[in-house]
Amino acid sequence: MLLEIKDLTLLYGRIQALHGISLVVNEGEVVALIGANGAGKTTTMRAISGLRPVATGSIVFDGTDVTRMRADLRVVRGISQSPEGRGVFPGMTVLENLEMGAYTRRDRAGVAADLDRVFELFPRLQERRKQAGGTLSGGEQQMLAVGRALMSRPKLLLLDEPSMGLAPMLIQQIFDIITEINQQGTTVLLVEQNAQQALSRAHRGYVLETGRIVKEGTGQELLHDPAVKEAYLGVA
Ligand code: ATP
């Protein structure tokens, strides 16, 4: 087990966003977290990466309790997040953005190898490596955010809405790349509005509703679950 979350609760002031979430991610898996707007998907990701403190519950990553660990130390341990809304540094070049993803690392040769790997996954980023991040198209910025997260060589890659705002052809491409990243050995936890694609690519999935996990299963089980179909796949 790479990640184990137990009974997690999280508050934004007086608003309780998570009401006792428990989930696991095994090494080598792609796990999808689906749910409607406001269900708590992004909040769960923030709790895992340490961007938001939790009220109660525990997060164990790779055998270590990281529940109260600083976010930057979690990156060193192997958790990396590609945030919703991309968050690339607009004034920095593509290359500088990618280098920022590796700022906790001291192994130069490894960083250079991972840069090559990111450019292989995203040839477009290599073509544009000297261009400012802010001048890229939406899809290219999305790819840059994923590439930057990979530059810390994470054991667990957290992807928050990687397909958001992308044209249909690019959506297919980004999911292909996620599958490839996983096949190269990175475990992935994926938050998606695009439940159809996410579940068809994921080994397992969880359905989140108003801060609670209401269903879990393999990607295929959830894809064929009548309630999931009706609520999230747009099929009655
Ligand atoms: P979306 O797809 O819209 O991002 P989500 O499932 O990721 O939805 P969250 O963003 O995690 O949902 O939000 C969960 C709940 O917490 C919602 O009720 C939301 O209004 C609330 N919330 C999120 N961020 C904050 C914040 N910074 N302050 C107060 N409440 C917040």
Side-chain angles (χ1 to χ4, degrees):
M1 211 177 290
L2 187 60
L3 178 75
E4 183 176 28
I5 296 180
K6 271 195 194 150
D7 300 326
L8 212 62
T9 64
L10 190 150
L11 308 167
Y12 291 111
R14 269 187 270 166
I15 301 167
Q16 183 165 359
L18 302 181
H19 298 262
I21 300 249
S22 298
L23 63 83
V24 299
V25 179
N26 297 301
E27 200 158 353
E29 282 187 318
V30 175
V31 173
L33 202 55
I34 64 167
N37 280 338
K41 304 181 299 296
T42 296
T43 302
T44 303
M45 296 298 232
R46 287 189 190 135
I48 298 168
S49 58
L51 295 178
R52 191 82 208 178
V54 305
T56 59
S58 66
I59 305 169
V60 174
F61 175 70
D62 206 15
T64 303
D65 189 325
V66 300
T67 316
R68 319 255 164 228
M69 188 183 280
R70 265 172 29 205
D72 57 330
L73 298 179
R74 296 189 208 194
V75 175
V76 174
R77 292 217 166 242
I79 300 177
S80 179
Q81 181 171 8
S82 170
E84 183 181 30
R86 307 180 193 117
V88 309
F89 303 111
M92 289 186 180
T93 66
V94 167
L95 185 59
E96 287 164 347
N97 267 277
L98 291 172
E99 286 167 349
M100 284 301 285
Y103 85 106
T104 57
R105 295 175 61 181
R106 296 288 167 269
D107 57 322
R108 284 172 165 237
V111 171
D114 284 352
L115 188 62
D116 287 345
R117 175 181 169 226
V118 167
F119 284 151
E120 265 169 42
L121 286 167
F122 302 106
R124 194 79 179 162
L125 295 183
Q126 182 160 30
E127 286 164 26
R128 311 219 156 194
R129 65 189 179 282
K130 292 185 183 152
Q131 205 169 310
T135 66
L136 300 181
S137 74
E140 289 163 353
Q141 290 193 30
Q142 197 72 276
M143 291 176 185
L144 180 54
V146 175
R148 190 181 56 190
L150 280 177
M151 287 302 293
S152 66
R153 198 181 282 189
K155 292 180 185 149
L156 176 65
L157 178 63
L158 304 175
L159 296 175
D160 196 349
E161 304 275 5
S163 79
M164 190 168 58
L166 298 187
M169 215 181 71
L170 283 178
I171 292 180
Q172 200 59 42
Q173 201 181 328
I174 197 99
F175 278 106
D176 285 347
I177 288 168
I178 292 166
T179 301
E180 195 175 335
I181 289 168
N182 175 248
Q183 284 168 352
Q184 291 176 359
T186 309
T187 305
V188 178
L189 179 60
L190 177 67
V191 157
E192 261 299 333
Q193 292 280 330
N194 192 332
Q196 174 78 43
Q197 275 283 351
L199 291 176
S200 57
R201 304 286 184 144
H203 299 97
R204 291 187 308 108
Y206 293 88
V207 180
L208 205 54
E209 269 174 28
T210 55
R212 294 178 179 83
I213 304 269
V214 294
K215 202 160 269 193
E216 62 176 283
T218 66
Q220 289 304 314
E221 281 164 1
L222 294 175
L223 267 181
H224 296 106
D225 182 288
V228 172
K229 273 188 178 171
E230 190 178 343
Y232 304 108
L233 303 175
V235 219

